[in-house]
């Protein structure tokens, strides 16, 4: 599959926005991306970011970044900073300042008071457990709270005292008075305000009551003039409530909510809560562990913003859901790196080769193209008497059709000469620890006379190469649906114990000593790699494998 063959992905929201602009319903499209700052963004959020910022970009509108920060206990400035960085890394910029739902707490409070005054809200003293019991179920209607018919005066007084901090967490709440028998449970007198004596990262200790998500989201959209409020399908049943608030409050605009199917990717967890658990319990080395499905993880692993955006384009936007194969994400990054990553050689399991007929003190500088198709210039590679090839490229008892090095056989060194294996030196246990070879001086850039040499292997000069560490990453989970654990188990039981293999003492070609974290490489015959942004140091290089050359899973 190449890019040109991938089907043009559909986005059902595009024609809706277009029609609203053509009909004059909206002069300008305004969308928003509303993360809760309670964790790092993951690949699912990338879909939402590309969708919201993408629609605004395509139709000449704006997209806001608004932190949905109504739950101070779980939120943190660390997450706010990381989320801003992730959005920009993906290549998007929000219009105006970063916004916070907490910017609107005063207005939301006034609107809550307005609902009390119009008889549409009341203070309820049921405990959270009692409220649950009163709420009913999908098959049974709820029951009215015994506090539902309090007078407006009493409600105003109690709500003011909730705000003043007179009551303990959970002792009372403010609820909308809608319909306890509504088939849609979200309309059974939903909570507008909870008591929570908690410090807030934006508003400090100003508030000890906090609005619910439902009471915050639509009104924030209205305040910001959002035209198309796009969210995932779990919120479809909240839409009647979203609209109820807009209809019962003097809001400045009437945004409309649309739902799309969230991204589910096989072999991958896309839940902040579970990702946090992986971090907190030490199953991975932090949010930016290159095996994580977080954007910081993909970034450290070497994924490019362009490959992420292409992936989101490929999967499209619809309401049907389903599970996307992780192979599509890997296809997107391979396609980008094949076109744009410089070629280099790195020997992961070095086996020393002494070329016995090459003069001891001679070094020949070879010049190799950095890319087979793009003009990226060349790099110099010294050829000398001692080199390394990969231990896996020599086989004493090769299977039929083996194209690499075998006793008495020949192979071409990439960009260099043809060598023949004359003798293998072994240790006491019989392991091959060194090869004695001879080279054919007539084969630089030429086929040898009178015989065919099929195999090509990568190599580096022994003295001039750079020792490095290489980290091979694989899927973090063994099973396609990690959340569906075996009986009684959890997604943690599906962790792939071989998801990280660390190789030390690898040897990289000399030009790699100058690599920077922004560089991407194809290590010939090994895969795509980049420097680890955290652990790599000059003189102690660490490379991460972004993705293998081909899909070799299963
Ligand atoms: P999680 O389930 O991981 O906790 P969330 O929905 O609680 O995610 P938010 O910070 O509230 O996380 O999400 C911000 C936006 O990203 C929301 O509009 C949400 O719908 C969207 N989003 C979250 N997960 C996905 C997903 N898997 N696919 C598409 N959009 C998503
Ligand atoms: Mg959420």
């Amino acid at each position: 599959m190449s890019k040109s063959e991938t089907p043009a992905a559909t986005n059902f929201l595009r024609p809706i926005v277009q029609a609203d602009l053509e009909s004059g319903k909206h002069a300008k499209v305004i969308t928003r991306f509303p993360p809760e700052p309670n964790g790092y963004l993951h690949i699912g959020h990338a879909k939402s970011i590309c969708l919201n910022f993408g629609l605004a970009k395509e139709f000449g509108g704006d997209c806001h970044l608004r932190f949905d920060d109504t739950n101070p206990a779980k939120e943190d400035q660390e997450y706010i900073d990381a989320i801003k960085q992730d959005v920009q890394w993906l290549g998007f910029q929000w219009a105006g300042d970063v916004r916070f739902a907490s910017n609107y707490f005063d207005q939301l409070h006034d609107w809550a008071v307005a609902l009390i005054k119009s008889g549409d809200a009341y203070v309820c003293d049921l405990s959270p457990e009692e409220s649950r019991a009163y709420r009913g179920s999908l098959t049974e209607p709820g029951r009215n709270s015994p506090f539902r018919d309090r007078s407006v005066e009493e409600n105003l007084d109690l709500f003011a005292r909730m705000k003043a901090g007179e009551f303990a967490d959970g002792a009372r709440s403010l609820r909308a008075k809608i319909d306890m028998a509504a088939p849609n449970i979200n309309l059974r007198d939903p909570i507008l305000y909870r008591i929570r004596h908690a410090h807030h990262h934006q508003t400090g200790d100003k508030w000890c009551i906090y609005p619910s998500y439902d009471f915050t989201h639509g009104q924030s959209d209205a305040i910001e003039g959002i035209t198309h409020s796009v969210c995932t399908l779990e919120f479809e049943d909240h839409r009647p409530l979203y609209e109820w608030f807009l209809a019962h409050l003097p809001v400045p605009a009437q945004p409309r909510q649309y739902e799309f199917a969230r991204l589910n990717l096989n072999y991958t967890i896309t839940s902040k809560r579970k990702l946090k658990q992986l971090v907190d319990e030490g199953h991975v080395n932090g949010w930016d562990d290159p095996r994580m499905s977080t954007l910081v993880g993909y970034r450290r692993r070497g994924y490019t913003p362009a490959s992420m955006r292409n992936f989101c384009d490929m999967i499209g936007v619809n309401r049907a859901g389903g599970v996307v194969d992780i192979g599509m994400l890997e296809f997107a990054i391979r396609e980008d790196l094949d076109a744009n990553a410089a070629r280099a050689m790195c020997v992961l399991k070095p086996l020393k080769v002494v070329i016995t007929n090459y003069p001891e003190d001679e070094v020949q500088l070879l010049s190799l193209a950095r890319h087979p198709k793009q003009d990226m210039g060349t790099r110099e590679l010294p050829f000398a008497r001692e080199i390394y090839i990969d231990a896996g490229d020599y086989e004493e008892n090769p299977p039929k059709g083996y194209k690499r090095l075998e006793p008495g056989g020949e192979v071409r060194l990439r960009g260099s000469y043809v060598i023949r294996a004359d003798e293998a030196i072994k240790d006491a246990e019989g392991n091959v620890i060194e090869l004695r070879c001879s080279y054919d001086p007539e084969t630089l850039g030429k086929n040898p006379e009178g015989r065919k040499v099929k195999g090509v292997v990568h190599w580096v000069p022994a003295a001039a190469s750079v020792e490095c560490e290489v980290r091979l990453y694989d899927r973090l989970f063994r099973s396609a649906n990690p959340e569906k654990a075996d009986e009684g188990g959890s997604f943690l039981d599906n962790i792939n114990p071989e998801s990280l293999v660390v190789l030390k003492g690898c040897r990289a070609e000399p030009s790699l000593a100058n690599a920077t974290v922004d560089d991407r490489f194809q290590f010939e015959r090994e895969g795509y790699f980049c420097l680890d942004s955290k652990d790599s140091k000059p003189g102690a290089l660490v490379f991460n494998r972004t993705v293998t050359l081909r899909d070799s899973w299963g």
Side-chain angles (χ1 to χ4, degrees):
M1 188 165 60
S2 76
K3 185 83 195 299
S4 50
E5 288 168 61
T6 50
T10 54
N11 173 349
F12 78 100
L13 289 161
R14 214 178 265 146
I16 292 175
V17 171
Q18 187 154 16
D20 287 348
L21 290 172
E22 278 167 9
S23 73
K25 180 174 176 192
H26 300 296
K28 181 176 177 180
V29 55
I30 306 181
T31 57
R32 85 285 171 269
F33 173 63
E36 190 181 347
N38 61 352
Y40 283 69
L41 298 184
H42 54 62
I43 183 80
H45 295 111
K47 176 175 179 178
S48 177
I49 292 170
C50 289
L51 171 57
N52 282 296
F53 283 90
L55 280 174
K57 204 170 198 171
E58 185 176 344
F59 292 99
D62 286 339
C63 182
H64 297 177
L65 174 61
R66 179 170 80 231
F67 287 99
D68 170 18
D69 56 346
T70 57
N71 188 0
K74 291 194 169 163
E75 297 164 6
D76 203 287
Q77 186 65 38
E78 174 193 351
Y79 301 133
I80 293 175
D81 297 339
I83 289 169
K84 283 158 61 179
Q85 237 192 328
D86 282 346
V87 171
Q88 288 176 320
W89 176 69
L90 276 177
F92 298 108
Q93 183 59 49
W94 47 90
D97 291 337
V98 170
R99 293 151 215 260
F100 294 87
S102 55
N103 293 157
Y104 314 130
F105 279 177
D106 284 318
Q107 176 68 80
L108 291 168
H109 169 265
D110 292 351
W111 279 337
V113 170
L115 285 181
I116 294 174
K117 287 183 177 162
S118 61
D120 292 310
Y122 63 97
V123 172
C124 179
D125 300 355
L126 291 179
S127 69
E129 298 74 48
E130 289 166 328
S131 294
R132 254 191 296 283
Y134 273 78
R135 196 181 303 140
S137 68
L138 285 173
T139 49
E140 273 177 61
R143 283 175 293 140
N144 283 354
S145 160
F147 307 98
R148 202 173 195 260
D149 296 316
R150 277 178 162 151
S151 67
V152 169
E153 289 67 38
E154 190 182 4
N155 282 320
L156 286 173
D157 173 63
L158 285 172
F159 187 53
R161 289 165 61 197
M162 278 170 64
K163 176 171 179 262
E166 282 190 31
F167 311 121
D169 287 5
R172 294 193 154 93
S173 61
L174 183 72
R175 300 174 66 177
K177 194 188 280 189
I178 304 181
D179 180 4
M180 288 306 291
N184 183 338
I185 293 183
N186 291 300
L187 295 176
R188 294 183 189 169
D189 292 8
I191 288 186
L192 309 184
Y193 268 90
R194 291 187 178 84
I195 302 173
R196 202 162 276 167
H197 292 267
H199 184 83
H200 189 287
H201 49 96
Q202 300 300 315
T203 57
D205 295 315
K206 176 171 176 185
W207 299 93
C208 63
I209 54 171
Y210 288 97
S212 62
Y213 166 86
D214 285 313
F215 191 62
T216 306
H217 201 79
Q219 289 91 296
S220 300
D221 285 342
I223 292 169
E224 294 183 7
I226 301 299
T227 54
H228 301 78
S229 177
V230 183
C231 60
T232 40
L233 276 168
E234 311 91 89
F235 292 99
E236 186 170 23
D237 289 346
H238 293 241
R239 186 166 8 116
L241 183 55
Y242 181 102
E243 290 171 351
W244 190 92
F245 290 130
L246 296 181
H248 286 76
L249 291 167
V251 290
Q254 293 286 323
R256 186 155 164 197
Q257 174 180 309
Y258 295 90
E259 306 88 18
F260 70 101
R262 56 187 289 124
L263 167 65
N264 296 307
L265 197 58
N266 62 10
Y267 296 98
T268 307
I269 294 278
T270 46
S271 145
K272 275 188 278 188
R273 190 178 57 77
K274 287 182 179 151
L275 292 171
K276 187 169 190 308
Q277 193 181 347
L278 287 171
V279 174
D280 290 345
E281 294 179 5
H283 302 288
V284 295
N285 304 313
W287 286 98
D288 64 351
D289 186 304
R291 294 168 292 178
M292 289 280 274
S293 62
T294 51
L295 299 186
V296 282
Y298 286 116
R299 175 151 86 235
R300 186 170 165 199
R301 181 151 166 174
Y303 274 71
T304 59
S307 66
M308 289 274 168
R309 292 193 303 264
N310 285 345
F311 168 70
C312 291
D313 275 351
M314 275 189 248
I315 59 177
V317 179
N318 57 45
R319 288 176 52 87
V323 178
V324 172
D325 191 282
I326 195 171
M328 263 174 100
L329 179 63
E330 293 168 351
F331 168 81
I333 183 64
R334 270 191 203 106
E335 185 185 51
D336 185 8
L337 295 180
D338 179 42
N340 299 309
R343 273 37 173 184
M345 291 196 278
C346 181
V347 174
L348 303 192
K349 294 189 181 115
L351 173 63
K352 184 175 273 186
V353 173
V354 178
I355 299 166
T356 51
N357 61 337
Y358 195 84
E360 200 133 340
D361 291 322
E362 201 169 302
V363 171
Q364 182 181 2
L365 277 186
L366 303 173
S367 179
L368 276 72
R370 285 188 195 275
H371 198 279
K373 292 185 193 136
Q374 276 205 52
D375 185 14
M376 292 188 180
T378 57
R379 80 251 195 207
E380 308 239 279
L381 192 59
F383 183 71
R385 181 181 161 92
E386 295 195 355
I387 65 169
Y388 291 113
I389 65 168
D390 197 277
D393 284 334
Y394 176 76
E395 194 59 65
E396 288 245 287
N397 304 299
K400 219 169 139 28
Y402 188 74
K403 289 210 196 87
R404 291 166 275 168
L405 210 48
E406 58 186 272
E410 285 186 307
V411 80
R412 174 171 296 280
L413 300 173
R414 169 66 110 196
S416 176
Y417 298 93
V418 168
I419 57 168
R420 186 183 63 225
D422 300 321
E423 187 191 353
I425 313 288
K426 296 182 180 171
D427 64 11
E429 277 102 60
N431 303 307
V432 177
I433 51 168
E434 188 180 307
L435 291 181
R436 298 286 160 91
C437 294
S438 45
Y439 86 118
D440 181 344
E442 301 305 316
T443 52
L444 185 62
K446 278 189 284 187
N447 283 326
E449 289 285 324
R451 59 201 199 276
K452 270 205 174 119
V453 175
K454 282 201 185 133
V456 182
V457 301
H458 59 290
W459 62 281
V460 295
S465 59
V466 184
E467 186 175 333
C468 64
E469 177 177 322
V470 172
R471 299 177 181 171
L472 303 178
Y473 297 103
D474 200 350
R475 296 174 183 173
L476 183 55
F477 295 98
R478 288 180 295 202
S479 87
N481 184 355
E483 316 226 16
K484 219 183 219 139
D486 307 325
E487 293 277 309
S490 88
F491 70 105
L492 300 172
D493 303 320
N494 281 322
I495 291 181
N496 173 6
E498 277 135 44
S499 58
L500 169 60
V501 173
V502 178
L503 302 175
K504 301 208 189 236
C506 309
R507 308 288 311 196
E509 67 168 73
S511 70
L512 287 169
N514 305 317
T516 71
V517 282
D518 295 324
D519 291 328
R520 299 287 181 277
F521 300 99
Q522 183 193 99
F523 287 173
E524 303 222 24
R525 301 180 60 232
E526 294 292 0
Y528 295 98
F529 291 80
C530 69
L531 280 185
D532 185 77
S533 55
K534 225 174 199 172
D535 298 337
S536 188
K537 310 250 159 13
L541 302 182
V542 179
F543 287 99
N544 291 331
R545 183 172 71 192
T546 309
V547 69
T548 54
L549 286 177
R550 265 165 241 98
D551 185 1
S552 56
W553 226 78

